[in-house]
PDB file of all heavy atoms in Angstrom:
ATOM      1  N   ARG B1450      40.269 -10.811 -42.941  1.00 98.00           N
ATOM      2  CA  ARG B1450      39.054 -11.518 -43.403  1.00 98.00           C
ATOM      3  C   ARG B1450      37.937 -10.520 -43.709  1.00 98.00           C
ATOM      4  O   ARG B1450      37.368 -10.527 -44.794  1.00 98.00           O
ATOM      5  CB  ARG B1450      38.600 -12.502 -42.310  1.00 98.00           C
ATOM      6  CG  ARG B1450      37.326 -13.249 -42.642  1.00 98.00           C
ATOM      7  CD  ARG B1450      36.851 -14.093 -41.451  1.00 98.00           C
ATOM      8  NE  ARG B1450      36.496 -13.300 -40.295  1.00 98.00           N
ATOM      9  CZ  ARG B1450      35.351 -12.627 -40.153  1.00 98.00           C
ATOM     10  NH1 ARG B1450      34.443 -12.647 -41.099  1.00 98.00           N
ATOM     11  NH2 ARG B1450      35.106 -11.918 -39.073  1.00 98.00           N
ATOM     12  N   GLN B1451      37.672  -9.630 -42.759  1.00 98.00           N
ATOM     13  CA  GLN B1451      36.537  -8.713 -42.946  1.00 98.00           C
ATOM     14  C   GLN B1451      36.816  -7.684 -44.047  1.00 98.00           C
ATOM     15  O   GLN B1451      35.954  -7.401 -44.883  1.00 98.00           O
ATOM     16  CB  GLN B1451      36.188  -8.023 -41.624  1.00 98.00           C
ATOM     17  CG  GLN B1451      35.006  -7.073 -41.811  1.00 98.00           C
ATOM     18  CD  GLN B1451      34.411  -6.574 -40.511  1.00 98.00           C
ATOM     19  OE1 GLN B1451      34.361  -7.302 -39.525  1.00 98.00           O
ATOM     20  NE2 GLN B1451      33.944  -5.332 -40.501  1.00 98.00           N
ATOM     21  N   GLN B1454      36.793  -9.346 -47.468  1.00 98.00           N
ATOM     22  CA  GLN B1454      35.408  -9.670 -47.853  1.00 98.00           C
ATOM     23  C   GLN B1454      34.668  -8.402 -48.278  1.00 98.00           C
ATOM     24  O   GLN B1454      33.899  -8.409 -49.231  1.00 98.00           O
ATOM     25  CB  GLN B1454      34.706 -10.338 -46.670  1.00 98.00           C
ATOM     26  CG  GLN B1454      33.246 -10.613 -46.933  1.00 98.00           C
ATOM     27  CD  GLN B1454      32.601 -11.489 -45.850  1.00 98.00           C
ATOM     28  OE1 GLN B1454      33.209 -12.405 -45.331  1.00 98.00           O
ATOM     29  NE2 GLN B1454      31.377 -11.200 -45.508  1.00 98.00           N
ATOM     30  N   HIS B1455      34.945  -7.334 -47.566  1.00 98.00           N
ATOM     31  CA  HIS B1455      34.307  -6.055 -47.868  1.00 98.00           C
ATOM     32  C   HIS B1455      34.794  -5.541 -49.245  1.00 98.00           C
ATOM     33  O   HIS B1455      33.995  -5.134 -50.090  1.00 98.00           O
ATOM     34  CB  HIS B1455      34.653  -5.076 -46.751  1.00 98.00           C
ATOM     35  CG  HIS B1455      33.799  -3.864 -46.710  1.00 98.00           C
ATOM     36  ND1 HIS B1455      33.723  -3.044 -45.623  1.00 98.00           N
ATOM     37  CD2 HIS B1455      32.995  -3.305 -47.641  1.00 98.00           C
ATOM     38  CE1 HIS B1455      32.887  -2.055 -45.887  1.00 98.00           C
ATOM     39  NE2 HIS B1455      32.440  -2.182 -47.105  1.00 98.00           N
ATOM     40  N   SER B1458      33.316  -7.484 -52.008  1.00 98.00           N
ATOM     41  CA  SER B1458      31.892  -7.130 -52.190  1.00 98.00           C
ATOM     42  C   SER B1458      31.768  -5.896 -53.068  1.00 98.00           C
ATOM     43  O   SER B1458      30.867  -5.798 -53.912  1.00 98.00           O
ATOM     44  CB  SER B1458      31.228  -6.833 -50.843  1.00 98.00           C
ATOM     45  OG  SER B1458      31.351  -7.926 -49.987  1.00 98.00           O
ATOM     46  N   GLU B1459      32.658  -4.937 -52.844  1.00 98.00           N
ATOM     47  CA  GLU B1459      32.589  -3.695 -53.629  1.00 98.00           C
ATOM     48  C   GLU B1459      32.798  -3.983 -55.112  1.00 98.00           C
ATOM     49  O   GLU B1459      32.070  -3.461 -55.958  1.00 98.00           O
ATOM     50  CB  GLU B1459      33.631  -2.684 -53.153  1.00 98.00           C
ATOM     51  CG  GLU B1459      33.487  -2.244 -51.698  1.00 98.00           C
ATOM     52  CD  GLU B1459      32.344  -1.250 -51.450  1.00 98.00           C
ATOM     53  OE1 GLU B1459      31.704  -0.802 -52.414  1.00 98.00           O
ATOM     54  OE2 GLU B1459      32.094  -0.948 -50.257  1.00 98.00           O
ATOM     55  N   GLY B1462      30.118  -6.242 -56.458  1.00 98.00           N
ATOM     56  CA  GLY B1462      28.887  -5.442 -56.410  1.00 98.00           C
ATOM     57  C   GLY B1462      28.741  -4.506 -57.604  1.00 98.00           C
ATOM     58  O   GLY B1462      27.671  -3.911 -57.800  1.00 98.00           O
ATOM     59  N   GLU B1466      24.642  -3.767 -61.094  1.00 98.00           N
ATOM     60  CA  GLU B1466      24.275  -2.448 -61.627  1.00 98.00           C
ATOM     61  C   GLU B1466      24.943  -2.191 -62.977  1.00 98.00           C
ATOM     62  O   GLU B1466      24.332  -1.597 -63.873  1.00 98.00           O
ATOM     63  CB  GLU B1466      24.643  -1.358 -60.629  1.00 98.00           C
ATOM     64  CG  GLU B1466      23.725  -1.368 -59.409  1.00 98.00           C
ATOM     65  CD  GLU B1466      24.276  -0.525 -58.299  1.00 98.00           C
ATOM     66  OE1 GLU B1466      25.269  -0.954 -57.669  1.00 98.00           O
ATOM     67  OE2 GLU B1466      23.732   0.561 -58.060  1.00 98.00           O
ATOM     68  N   LYS B1485      28.324   5.910 -60.305  1.00 98.00           N
ATOM     69  CA  LYS B1485      28.136   5.103 -59.091  1.00 98.00           C
ATOM     70  C   LYS B1485      28.955   3.816 -59.168  1.00 98.00           C
ATOM     71  O   LYS B1485      29.655   3.446 -58.224  1.00 98.00           O
ATOM     72  CB  LYS B1485      26.649   4.769 -58.893  1.00 98.00           C
ATOM     73  CG  LYS B1485      26.446   3.937 -57.642  1.00 98.00           C
ATOM     74  CD  LYS B1485      25.066   3.370 -57.516  1.00 98.00           C
ATOM     75  CE  LYS B1485      24.793   2.763 -56.150  1.00 98.00           C
ATOM     76  NZ  LYS B1485      25.452   1.491 -55.898  1.00 98.00           N
ATOM     77  N   GLU B1489      32.119   2.367 -56.779  1.00 97.00           N
ATOM     78  CA  GLU B1489      32.253   1.078 -56.093  1.00 97.00           C
ATOM     79  C   GLU B1489      33.644   0.492 -56.351  1.00 97.00           C
ATOM     80  O   GLU B1489      34.260  -0.084 -55.453  1.00 97.00           O
ATOM     81  CB  GLU B1489      31.170   0.076 -56.530  1.00 97.00           C
ATOM     82  CG  GLU B1489      29.726   0.557 -56.438  1.00 97.00           C
ATOM     83  CD  GLU B1489      29.250   0.982 -55.052  1.00 97.00           C
ATOM     84  OE1 GLU B1489      30.020   0.862 -54.081  1.00 97.00           O
ATOM     85  OE2 GLU B1489      28.107   1.455 -54.940  1.00 97.00           O
ATOM     86  N   LYS B1520      35.028 -14.788 -49.101  1.00 97.00           N
ATOM     87  CA  LYS B1520      33.630 -14.507 -49.429  1.00 97.00           C
ATOM     88  C   LYS B1520      33.435 -13.088 -49.955  1.00 97.00           C
ATOM     89  O   LYS B1520      34.335 -12.259 -49.848  1.00 97.00           O
ATOM     90  CB  LYS B1520      32.793 -14.641 -48.155  1.00 97.00           C
ATOM     91  CG  LYS B1520      32.807 -16.026 -47.527  1.00 97.00           C
ATOM     92  CD  LYS B1520      31.846 -16.029 -46.339  1.00 97.00           C
ATOM     93  CE  LYS B1520      31.551 -17.429 -45.852  1.00 97.00           C
ATOM     94  NZ  LYS B1520      32.669 -18.074 -45.188  1.00 97.00           N
ATOM     95  N   TYR B1521      32.232 -12.834 -50.454  1.00 98.00           N
ATOM     96  CA  TYR B1521      31.751 -11.471 -50.706  1.00 98.00           C
ATOM     97  C   TYR B1521      30.292 -11.463 -50.291  1.00 98.00           C
ATOM     98  O   TYR B1521      29.687 -12.521 -50.087  1.00 98.00           O
ATOM     99  CB  TYR B1521      31.943 -11.067 -52.184  1.00 98.00           C
ATOM    100  CG  TYR B1521      31.240 -11.960 -53.171  1.00 98.00           C
ATOM    101  CD1 TYR B1521      29.930 -11.689 -53.584  1.00 98.00           C
ATOM    102  CD2 TYR B1521      31.867 -13.097 -53.689  1.00 98.00           C
ATOM    103  CE1 TYR B1521      29.270 -12.516 -54.482  1.00 98.00           C
ATOM    104  CE2 TYR B1521      31.207 -13.926 -54.581  1.00 98.00           C
ATOM    105  CZ  TYR B1521      29.918 -13.635 -54.976  1.00 98.00           C
ATOM    106  OH  TYR B1521      29.267 -14.465 -55.854  1.00 98.00           O
ATOM    107  N   SER B1522      29.704 -10.278 -50.181  1.00 98.00           N
ATOM    108  CA  SER B1522      28.360 -10.189 -49.619  1.00 98.00           C
ATOM    109  C   SER B1522      27.328 -10.985 -50.425  1.00 98.00           C
ATOM    110  O   SER B1522      27.287 -10.908 -51.659  1.00 98.00           O
ATOM    111  CB  SER B1522      27.920  -8.720 -49.531  1.00 98.00           C
ATOM    112  OG  SER B1522      26.615  -8.670 -48.993  1.00 98.00           O
ATOM    113  N   SER B1523      26.486 -11.687 -49.682  1.00 98.00           N
ATOM    114  CA  SER B1523      25.404 -12.492 -50.263  1.00 98.00           C
ATOM    115  C   SER B1523      24.523 -11.689 -51.223  1.00 98.00           C
ATOM    116  O   SER B1523      24.010 -12.214 -52.207  1.00 98.00           O
ATOM    117  CB  SER B1523      24.530 -13.032 -49.128  1.00 98.00           C
ATOM    118  OG  SER B1523      24.127 -11.974 -48.268  1.00 98.00           O
ATOM    119  N   PHE B1525      24.940  -9.672 -53.553  1.00 98.00           N
ATOM    120  CA  PHE B1525      25.287  -9.499 -54.967  1.00 98.00           C
ATOM    121  C   PHE B1525      25.072 -10.770 -55.794  1.00 98.00           C
ATOM    122  O   PHE B1525      25.446 -10.830 -56.958  1.00 98.00           O
ATOM    123  CB  PHE B1525      26.703  -8.931 -55.102  1.00 98.00           C
ATOM    124  CG  PHE B1525      26.823  -7.611 -54.379  1.00 98.00           C
ATOM    125  CD1 PHE B1525      27.678  -7.456 -53.305  1.00 98.00           C
ATOM    126  CD2 PHE B1525      26.018  -6.545 -54.744  1.00 98.00           C
ATOM    127  CE1 PHE B1525      27.731  -6.252 -52.607  1.00 98.00           C
ATOM    128  CE2 PHE B1525      26.067  -5.339 -54.059  1.00 98.00           C
ATOM    129  CZ  PHE B1525      26.935  -5.196 -52.987  1.00 98.00           C
ATOM    130  N   VAL B1542      20.247  -1.492 -50.664  1.00 98.00           N
ATOM    131  CA  VAL B1542      21.563  -2.115 -50.476  1.00 98.00           C
ATOM    132  C   VAL B1542      22.572  -1.069 -49.992  1.00 98.00           C
ATOM    133  O   VAL B1542      23.294  -1.294 -49.021  1.00 98.00           O
ATOM    134  CB  VAL B1542      22.021  -2.832 -51.778  1.00 98.00           C
ATOM    135  CG1 VAL B1542      23.420  -3.392 -51.615  1.00 98.00           C
ATOM    136  CG2 VAL B1542      21.020  -3.915 -52.158  1.00 98.00           C
ATOM    137  N   ASP B1543      22.595   0.089 -50.648  1.00 98.00           N
ATOM    138  CA  ASP B1543      23.493   1.136 -50.148  1.00 98.00           C
ATOM    139  C   ASP B1543      22.996   1.646 -48.802  1.00 98.00           C
ATOM    140  O   ASP B1543      23.802   2.019 -47.941  1.00 98.00           O
ATOM    141  CB  ASP B1543      23.623   2.273 -51.168  1.00 98.00           C
ATOM    142  CG  ASP B1543      24.503   1.861 -52.342  1.00 98.00           C
ATOM    143  OD1 ASP B1543      25.725   1.948 -52.226  1.00 98.00           O
ATOM    144  OD2 ASP B1543      23.951   1.410 -53.357  1.00 98.00           O
ATOM    145  N   ALA B1546      24.238  -0.761 -46.389  1.00 97.00           N
ATOM    146  CA  ALA B1546      25.696  -0.586 -46.289  1.00 97.00           C
ATOM    147  C   ALA B1546      26.020   0.602 -45.379  1.00 97.00           C
ATOM    148  O   ALA B1546      26.921   0.524 -44.535  1.00 97.00           O
ATOM    149  CB  ALA B1546      26.296  -0.381 -47.679  1.00 97.00           C
ATOM    150  N   ASN B1549      25.508  -0.280 -41.725  1.00 97.00           N
ATOM    151  CA  ASN B1549      26.579  -1.168 -41.279  1.00 97.00           C
ATOM    152  C   ASN B1549      27.924  -0.435 -41.173  1.00 97.00           C
ATOM    153  O   ASN B1549      28.737  -0.711 -40.282  1.00 97.00           O
ATOM    154  CB  ASN B1549      26.661  -2.337 -42.287  1.00 97.00           C
ATOM    155  CG  ASN B1549      27.872  -3.212 -42.087  1.00 97.00           C
ATOM    156  OD1 ASN B1549      28.911  -2.959 -42.703  1.00 97.00           O
ATOM    157  ND2 ASN B1549      27.763  -4.204 -41.241  1.00 97.00           N
ATOM    158  N   TYR B1561      41.332   1.130 -41.724  1.00 98.00           N
ATOM    159  CA  TYR B1561      39.977   0.703 -42.123  1.00 98.00           C
ATOM    160  C   TYR B1561      38.984   1.809 -41.758  1.00 98.00           C
ATOM    161  O   TYR B1561      38.131   2.184 -42.566  1.00 98.00           O
ATOM    162  CB  TYR B1561      39.630  -0.606 -41.398  1.00 98.00           C
ATOM    163  CG  TYR B1561      38.370  -1.327 -41.855  1.00 98.00           C
ATOM    164  CD1 TYR B1561      37.886  -1.234 -43.160  1.00 98.00           C
ATOM    165  CD2 TYR B1561      37.678  -2.159 -40.975  1.00 98.00           C
ATOM    166  CE1 TYR B1561      36.744  -1.926 -43.565  1.00 98.00           C
ATOM    167  CE2 TYR B1561      36.540  -2.865 -41.370  1.00 98.00           C
ATOM    168  CZ  TYR B1561      36.075  -2.737 -42.666  1.00 98.00           C
ATOM    169  OH  TYR B1561      34.949  -3.426 -43.055  1.00 98.00           O
ATOM    170  N   GLU B1572      28.500   6.567 -50.246  1.00 94.00           N
ATOM    171  CA  GLU B1572      27.310   5.688 -50.144  1.00 94.00           C
ATOM    172  C   GLU B1572      26.042   6.507 -49.877  1.00 94.00           C
ATOM    173  O   GLU B1572      24.957   6.126 -50.304  1.00 94.00           O
ATOM    174  CB  GLU B1572      27.455   4.638 -49.036  1.00 94.00           C
ATOM    175  CG  GLU B1572      28.635   3.685 -49.155  1.00 94.00           C
ATOM    176  CD  GLU B1572      28.554   2.694 -50.297  1.00 94.00           C
ATOM    177  OE1 GLU B1572      27.889   2.970 -51.305  1.00 94.00           O
ATOM    178  OE2 GLU B1572      29.195   1.640 -50.196  1.00 94.00           O
ATOM    179  N   MET B1610      19.297  -9.752 -44.951  1.00 98.00           N
ATOM    180  CA  MET B1610      20.329 -10.792 -44.759  1.00 98.00           C
ATOM    181  C   MET B1610      21.742 -10.220 -44.796  1.00 98.00           C
ATOM    182  O   MET B1610      22.681 -10.838 -44.297  1.00 98.00           O
ATOM    183  CB  MET B1610      20.207 -11.862 -45.859  1.00 98.00           C
ATOM    184  CG  MET B1610      18.973 -12.713 -45.761  1.00 98.00           C
ATOM    185  SD  MET B1610      18.901 -13.809 -47.208  1.00 98.00           S
ATOM    186  CE  MET B1610      17.138 -14.080 -47.318  1.00 98.00           C
ATOM    187  N   MET B1611      21.909  -9.052 -45.427  1.00 98.00           N
ATOM    188  CA  MET B1611      23.255  -8.461 -45.531  1.00 98.00           C
ATOM    189  C   MET B1611      23.920  -8.300 -44.168  1.00 98.00           C
ATOM    190  O   MET B1611      25.138  -8.274 -44.064  1.00 98.00           O
ATOM    191  CB  MET B1611      23.172  -7.066 -46.162  1.00 98.00           C
ATOM    192  CG  MET B1611      22.966  -7.056 -47.646  1.00 98.00           C
ATOM    193  SD  MET B1611      22.773  -5.359 -48.235  1.00 98.00           S
ATOM    194  CE  MET B1611      24.427  -4.705 -48.087  1.00 98.00           C
ATOM    195  N   PHE B1612      23.106  -8.122 -43.111  1.00 98.00           N
ATOM    196  CA  PHE B1612      23.675  -7.850 -41.786  1.00 98.00           C
ATOM    197  C   PHE B1612      24.254  -9.099 -41.126  1.00 98.00           C
ATOM    198  O   PHE B1612      24.797  -9.020 -40.032  1.00 98.00           O
ATOM    199  CB  PHE B1612      22.613  -7.195 -40.885  1.00 98.00           C
ATOM    200  CG  PHE B1612      22.213  -5.845 -41.396  1.00 98.00           C
ATOM    201  CD1 PHE B1612      21.148  -5.684 -42.269  1.00 98.00           C
ATOM    202  CD2 PHE B1612      22.951  -4.717 -41.053  1.00 98.00           C
ATOM    203  CE1 PHE B1612      20.804  -4.445 -42.774  1.00 98.00           C
ATOM    204  CE2 PHE B1612      22.621  -3.472 -41.562  1.00 98.00           C
ATOM    205  CZ  PHE B1612      21.542  -3.330 -42.431  1.00 98.00           C
ATOM    206  N   GLY B1613      24.113 -10.255 -41.804  1.00 98.00           N
ATOM    207  CA  GLY B1613      24.702 -11.482 -41.289  1.00 98.00           C
ATOM    208  C   GLY B1613      23.732 -12.287 -40.459  1.00 98.00           C
ATOM    209  O   GLY B1613      22.570 -11.911 -40.274  1.00 98.00           O
ATOM    210  N   PRO B1614      24.221 -13.415 -39.929  1.00 98.00           N
ATOM    211  CA  PRO B1614      23.341 -14.302 -39.163  1.00 98.00           C
ATOM    212  C   PRO B1614      22.851 -13.629 -37.886  1.00 98.00           C
ATOM    213  O   PRO B1614      23.417 -12.620 -37.459  1.00 98.00           O
ATOM    214  CB  PRO B1614      24.247 -15.497 -38.830  1.00 98.00           C
ATOM    215  CG  PRO B1614      25.636 -15.023 -39.032  1.00 98.00           C
ATOM    216  CD  PRO B1614      25.602 -13.904 -40.012  1.00 98.00           C
ATOM    217  N   SER B1619      26.153 -15.804 -34.714  1.00 98.00           N
ATOM    218  CA  SER B1619      27.286 -15.072 -35.297  1.00 98.00           C
ATOM    219  C   SER B1619      28.584 -15.523 -34.625  1.00 98.00           C
ATOM    220  O   SER B1619      28.758 -15.357 -33.428  1.00 98.00           O
ATOM    221  CB  SER B1619      27.067 -13.563 -35.109  1.00 98.00           C
ATOM    222  OG  SER B1619      28.258 -12.871 -35.364  1.00 98.00           O
ATOM    223  N   THR B1620      29.482 -16.109 -35.439  1.00 96.00           N
ATOM    224  CA  THR B1620      30.704 -16.669 -34.841  1.00 96.00           C
ATOM    225  C   THR B1620      31.691 -15.586 -34.402  1.00 96.00           C
ATOM    226  O   THR B1620      32.408 -15.774 -33.427  1.00 96.00           O
ATOM    227  CB  THR B1620      31.411 -17.605 -35.851  1.00 96.00           C
ATOM    228  OG1 THR B1620      31.265 -17.045 -37.165  1.00 96.00           O
ATOM    229  CG2 THR B1620      30.840 -18.997 -35.841  1.00 96.00           C
ATOM    230  N   HIS B1621      31.719 -14.469 -35.122  1.00 97.00           N
ATOM    231  CA  HIS B1621      32.795 -13.505 -34.864  1.00 97.00           C
ATOM    232  C   HIS B1621      32.392 -12.299 -34.030  1.00 97.00           C
ATOM    233  O   HIS B1621      33.264 -11.586 -33.524  1.00 97.00           O
ATOM    234  CB  HIS B1621      33.342 -12.976 -36.203  1.00 97.00           C
ATOM    235  CG  HIS B1621      33.836 -14.056 -37.113  1.00 97.00           C
ATOM    236  ND1 HIS B1621      34.959 -14.796 -36.835  1.00 97.00           N
ATOM    237  CD2 HIS B1621      33.355 -14.528 -38.284  1.00 97.00           C
ATOM    238  CE1 HIS B1621      35.153 -15.675 -37.814  1.00 97.00           C
ATOM    239  NE2 HIS B1621      34.188 -15.533 -38.705  1.00 97.00           N
ATOM    240  N   LYS B1631      33.915  -4.327 -34.687  1.00 97.00           N
ATOM    241  CA  LYS B1631      32.475  -4.074 -34.855  1.00 97.00           C
ATOM    242  C   LYS B1631      32.009  -3.298 -33.629  1.00 97.00           C
ATOM    243  O   LYS B1631      32.468  -3.576 -32.510  1.00 97.00           O
ATOM    244  CB  LYS B1631      31.715  -5.411 -34.923  1.00 97.00           C
ATOM    245  CG  LYS B1631      31.831  -6.117 -36.268  1.00 97.00           C
ATOM    246  CD  LYS B1631      31.318  -7.541 -36.215  1.00 97.00           C
ATOM    247  CE  LYS B1631      29.853  -7.657 -36.506  1.00 97.00           C
ATOM    248  NZ  LYS B1631      29.467  -9.073 -36.828  1.00 97.00           N
ATOM    249  N   ASN B1635      24.987  -7.774 -35.239  1.00 98.00           N
ATOM    250  CA  ASN B1635      24.251  -7.900 -36.509  1.00 98.00           C
ATOM    251  C   ASN B1635      22.772  -7.557 -36.312  1.00 98.00           C
ATOM    252  O   ASN B1635      22.164  -6.850 -37.121  1.00 98.00           O
ATOM    253  CB  ASN B1635      24.369  -9.335 -37.054  1.00 98.00           C
ATOM    254  CG  ASN B1635      25.810  -9.735 -37.353  1.00 98.00           C
ATOM    255  OD1 ASN B1635      26.714  -8.911 -37.290  1.00 98.00           O
ATOM    256  ND2 ASN B1635      26.026 -11.001 -37.676  1.00 98.00           N
ATOM    257  N   VAL B1685      25.548 -18.002 -49.226  1.00 97.00           N
ATOM    258  CA  VAL B1685      26.953 -17.847 -48.818  1.00 97.00           C
ATOM    259  C   VAL B1685      27.757 -19.089 -49.234  1.00 97.00           C
ATOM    260  O   VAL B1685      28.925 -18.993 -49.604  1.00 97.00           O
ATOM    261  CB  VAL B1685      27.053 -17.577 -47.290  1.00 97.00           C
ATOM    262  CG1 VAL B1685      28.494 -17.612 -46.831  1.00 97.00           C
ATOM    263  CG2 VAL B1685      26.424 -16.228 -46.952  1.00 97.00           C
TER     264      VAL B1685
HETATM  265  N1  FAQ K 407      27.251 -12.375 -46.982  1.00 57.32           N
HETATM  266  O1  FAQ K 407      30.180 -14.102 -37.437  1.00 57.32           O
HETATM  267  P1  FAQ K 407      29.504 -13.337 -38.500  1.00 57.32           P
HETATM  268  C1  FAQ K 407      28.719  -2.962 -50.207  1.00 57.32           C
HETATM  269  C2  FAQ K 407      29.624 -14.704 -43.088  1.00 57.32           C
HETATM  270  S1  FAQ K 407      27.996  -3.503 -48.757  1.00 57.32           S
HETATM  271  C3  FAQ K 407      28.274 -13.251 -47.021  1.00 57.32           C
HETATM  272  O2  FAQ K 407      28.356 -12.490 -38.107  1.00 57.32           O
HETATM  273  P2  FAQ K 407      31.130 -11.006 -39.126  1.00 57.32           P
HETATM  274  C4  FAQ K 407      28.332  -1.617 -50.780  1.00 57.32           C
HETATM  275  C5  FAQ K 407      30.809 -14.114 -42.329  1.00 57.32           C
HETATM  276  O3  FAQ K 407      31.794 -13.629 -43.203  1.00 57.32           O
HETATM  277  C6  FAQ K 407      28.392  -5.224 -48.532  1.00 57.32           C
HETATM  278  N2  FAQ K 407      28.829 -13.779 -45.906  1.00 57.32           N
HETATM  279  O4  FAQ K 407      30.608 -12.497 -39.336  1.00 57.32           O
HETATM  280  C7  FAQ K 407      27.867  -1.728 -52.176  1.00 57.32           C
HETATM  281  C8  FAQ K 407      31.247 -15.304 -41.528  1.00 57.32           C
HETATM  282  O5  FAQ K 407      31.943 -16.221 -42.382  1.00 57.32           O
HETATM  283  P3  FAQ K 407      33.529 -16.578 -42.208  1.00 57.32           P
HETATM  284  C9  FAQ K 407      29.736  -5.478 -47.927  1.00 57.32           C
HETATM  285  C10 FAQ K 407      28.327 -13.364 -44.726  1.00 57.32           C
HETATM  286  O6  FAQ K 407      32.236 -10.793 -40.079  1.00 57.32           O
HETATM  287  C11 FAQ K 407      26.556  -1.394 -52.492  1.00 57.32           C
HETATM  288  C12 FAQ K 407      29.953 -16.000 -41.193  1.00 57.32           C
HETATM  289  O7  FAQ K 407      29.022 -15.601 -42.169  1.00 57.32           O
HETATM  290  N3  FAQ K 407      29.846  -4.921 -46.611  1.00 57.32           N
HETATM  291  O8  FAQ K 407      29.504  -3.709 -50.668  1.00 57.32           O
HETATM  292  C13 FAQ K 407      27.270 -12.437 -44.624  1.00 57.32           C
HETATM  293  O9  FAQ K 407      31.389 -10.721 -37.690  1.00 57.32           O
HETATM  294  C14 FAQ K 407      26.082  -1.476 -53.790  1.00 57.32           C
HETATM  295  C15 FAQ K 407      29.467 -15.691 -39.781  1.00 57.32           C
HETATM  296  O10 FAQ K 407      29.019 -14.323 -39.669  1.00 57.32           O
HETATM  297  C16 FAQ K 407      30.720  -5.405 -45.698  1.00 57.32           C
HETATM  298  O11 FAQ K 407      31.432  -6.361 -45.956  1.00 57.32           O
HETATM  299  C17 FAQ K 407      26.737 -11.945 -45.821  1.00 57.32           C
HETATM  300  N4  FAQ K 407      25.714 -11.070 -45.822  1.00 57.32           N
HETATM  301  O12 FAQ K 407      29.868 -10.095 -39.561  1.00 57.32           O
HETATM  302  C18 FAQ K 407      28.711  -2.126 -53.200  1.00 57.32           C
HETATM  303  C19 FAQ K 407      30.761  -4.665 -44.385  1.00 57.32           C
HETATM  304  N5  FAQ K 407      27.010 -12.235 -43.319  1.00 57.32           N
HETATM  305  O13 FAQ K 407      34.259 -15.343 -42.671  1.00 57.32           O
HETATM  306  C20 FAQ K 407      28.254  -2.237 -54.526  1.00 57.32           C
HETATM  307  C21 FAQ K 407      31.868  -5.125 -43.477  1.00 57.32           C
HETATM  308  C22 FAQ K 407      27.861 -13.009 -42.621  1.00 57.32           C
HETATM  309  O14 FAQ K 407      33.757 -16.898 -40.779  1.00 57.32           O
HETATM  310  C23 FAQ K 407      26.923  -1.896 -54.814  1.00 57.32           C
HETATM  311  N6  FAQ K 407      31.604  -6.412 -42.914  1.00 57.32           N
HETATM  312  N7  FAQ K 407      28.639 -13.696 -43.466  1.00 57.32           N
HETATM  313  O15 FAQ K 407      33.765 -17.739 -43.123  1.00 57.32           O
HETATM  314  C24 FAQ K 407      30.882  -6.611 -41.768  1.00 57.32           C
HETATM  315  O16 FAQ K 407      30.388  -5.683 -41.161  1.00 57.32           O
HETATM  316  C25 FAQ K 407      30.765  -8.007 -41.254  1.00 57.32           C
HETATM  317  O17 FAQ K 407      31.754  -8.802 -41.870  1.00 57.32           O
HETATM  318  C26 FAQ K 407      29.358  -8.654 -41.432  1.00 57.32           C
HETATM  319  C27 FAQ K 407      29.393 -10.106 -40.905  1.00 57.32           C
HETATM  320  C28 FAQ K 407      28.319  -7.875 -40.642  1.00 57.32           C
HETATM  321  C29 FAQ K 407      28.959  -8.704 -42.909  1.00 57.32           C
END
Side-chain angles (χ1 to χ4, degrees):
R1450 178 186 63 78
Q1451 180 168 325
Q1454 176 170 322
H1455 196 163
S1458 303
E1459 299 284 355
E1466 288 167 287
K1485 180 190 191 287
E1489 307 301 357
K1520 298 184 167 71
Y1521 59 90
S1522 180
S1523 52
F1525 302 117
V1542 176
D1543 285 277
N1549 170 268
Y1561 190 29
E1572 301 291 26
M1610 291 175 206
M1611 283 176 72
F1612 295 91
S1619 166
T1620 37
H1621 303 291
K1631 283 168 89 164
N1635 299 352
V1685 172

